[in-house]
Amino acid sequence: MLSAKSLFQEILDNDESFRLFCSIAATGESQGGWENARIAALVPQSARELAPKITRHGADEDKHGRIFHALMNRRGLAPAEVPADTDYTMLLERHGIGLAHDKLKSEQRLTVEDIVTYLAHSRVTEQRASEQMELLRRHFGDHPGIGRAVRMISQDEDRHLAYCHEELLRLASAGHGRAIRRTLHECALAEIRVYRDVSLAVMAHMGRILGWSRAKAATLAAAIHAVYAYERAAGWRRMVSLKMPEHRDALGGPATPALELA
């Protein structure tokens, strides 16, 4: 019987599929680290108090990238080339979601509207990351090989999501509520399409590595399309709601080191 746990266990048990999984994850996390570092450097003067938190966010993403590389190193695996159709971060940018890299590569200060875009994009994508890591933590949090890494990354993603909620609510109270609602809606609808496409691509690559039958590949593809249908109909709403988190100032202070995972 197919389940999320059995599927990931199969990927985990094979060196080549595990190598691809970690490479895809490391690339996305490292890209997120670079983006946050650039945003922190370019925040407008009126939002300078956000810079340390954005820096912390980026440092966490960089740390996650190093963790995935460390997991590969433990098994004597070199990073794999990441297929373009599995690059979630870049595909989101191509759909116009988040801040364009051309803007981040310039030295021009961002605007408050840009910060709204950044936080709305992060709120949507961190929802996805938090849910995915919670799933892995539930099934593999005690795994001797990856459990510690899964728990650490999951905790960080929960903090990132809390930070996005708190800062967006603060901006909403400052008069940016309409822009936040509009941007969240646009980001959520685009993200669920990109997530569907990336999920189909990742499963296709994994299927070739693991030699899945046509029936198994078709079943997994149908499940991905079913998730998309649900998210397109109603599931996207969980990505756009805002509530004050129990954990306030979630990104205050320095990033948690990952020395024990190196």
Side-chain angles (χ1 to χ4, degrees), residues 5-19 21 75 77 140 143-146 206 209-210:
K5 182 176 182 178
S6 65
L7 182 65
F8 190 76
Q9 186 67 60
E10 190 175 358
I11 292 170
L12 178 63
D13 289 343
N14 180 280
D15 279 350
E16 197 59 29
S17 57
F18 184 70
R19 174 177 175 245
F21 170 82
R75 288 170 60 163
L77 302 173
F140 295 95
H143 189 279
I146 65 169
M206 293 298 178
I209 292 171
L210 296 169

Side-chain angles (χ1 to χ4, degrees), residues 114-177:
D114 290 329
I115 298 301
V116 166
T117 297
Y118 150 68
L119 284 169
H121 167 247
S122 295
R123 186 262 175 272
V124 169
T125 56
E126 293 296 345
Q127 178 78 39
R128 182 74 70 187
S130 177
E131 291 171 353
Q132 289 182 319
M133 292 309 303
E134 169 58 28
L135 180 66
L136 287 177
R137 181 168 61 183
R138 187 161 64 248
H139 294 308
F140 295 95
D142 294 326
H143 189 279
I146 65 169
R148 186 182 297 175
V150 165
R151 294 193 305 272
M152 176 176 284
I153 296 173
S154 180
Q155 185 179 58
D156 285 346
E157 301 296 7
D158 289 347
R159 279 198 291 260
H160 298 168
L161 184 57
Y163 148 76
C164 292
H165 275 272
E166 183 173 2
E167 296 304 331
L168 283 169
L169 285 169
R170 184 181 62 78
L171 285 168
S173 69
H176 298 280

